[in-house]
Amino acid sequence: MKIRIYYEDTDCGGIVYHSNYLKFCERVRSEFIFESGLNLFSDEAHFVVSKITANFKKPAKLGDIIEVKTKLLKLNHASMILEQSIFRDDELLFVAQITVAFLSGEKPCKLNEEAKNLFSKLLK
């Protein structure tokens, strides 16, 4: 998914504020689910981020068009580990490993087969 960097995404020097990289990754994960047509955002069950390891390589700047790429590293019964990378053209700017858990209420629960099949498409 491609995203343009707007003034609201940057600090006073025109550099993307660090927390916005996480927002861009979240936006791409959400769009992936929305586009699938599955209802994975409900009161009964939902996803939460439980761990993030982030590496900031180079800054994105005001006006840049970045692309967020996602791949599945590991799929467990109630969680998955994703790698999300942000590029400007072919230049790597940011990479994160993100552990996402599937919860019912406040307790982990198993992903259903539809969700497993959806996220398996991210294996590369």
Side-chain angles (χ1 to χ4, degrees):
M1 180 173 151
K2 292 189 177 186
I3 299 168
R4 180 177 298 278
I5 302 301
Y6 294 102
Y7 187 74
E8 67 190 25
D9 301 318
T10 67
D11 61 17
C12 63
I15 303 295
V16 171
Y17 188 68
H18 71 279
S19 65
N20 286 338
Y21 292 92
L22 301 176
K23 285 182 179 183
F24 301 148
C25 290
E26 179 70 38
R27 186 178 305 162
V28 169
R29 291 193 308 274
S30 296
E31 281 298 325
F32 179 73
I33 294 169
F34 290 140
E35 289 174 5
S36 76
L38 292 179
N39 182 13
L40 298 178
F41 301 110
S42 71
D43 293 335
E44 297 166 11
H46 54 281
F47 288 99
V48 295
V49 171
S50 62
K51 180 179 178 181
I52 295 177
T53 303
N55 192 347
F56 299 86
K57 303 279 192 180
K58 294 185 177 184
K61 299 174 183 173
L62 180 64
D64 285 350
I65 295 178
I66 60 170
E67 183 173 12
V68 182
K69 297 181 181 180
T70 304
K71 70 179 175 179
L72 178 66
L73 299 179
K74 186 174 182 182
L75 181 61
N76 298 317
H77 295 293
S79 67
M80 66 187 117
I81 301 173
L82 301 168
E83 180 179 273
Q84 289 192 277
S85 303
I86 298 179
F87 293 85
R88 177 179 49 234
D89 299 319
D90 292 330
E91 185 176 30
L92 180 63
L93 305 178
F94 172 87
V95 63
Q97 285 192 359
I98 302 169
T99 302
V100 180
F102 194 57
L103 301 181
S104 179
E106 295 180 8
K107 296 183 180 184
C109 66
K110 287 186 178 182
L111 283 165
N112 63 37
E113 285 305 311
E114 284 182 309
K116 281 185 185 178
N117 291 335
L118 173 66
F119 290 106
S120 292
K121 292 178 184 177
L122 294 173
L123 280 170
K124 293 182 181 179

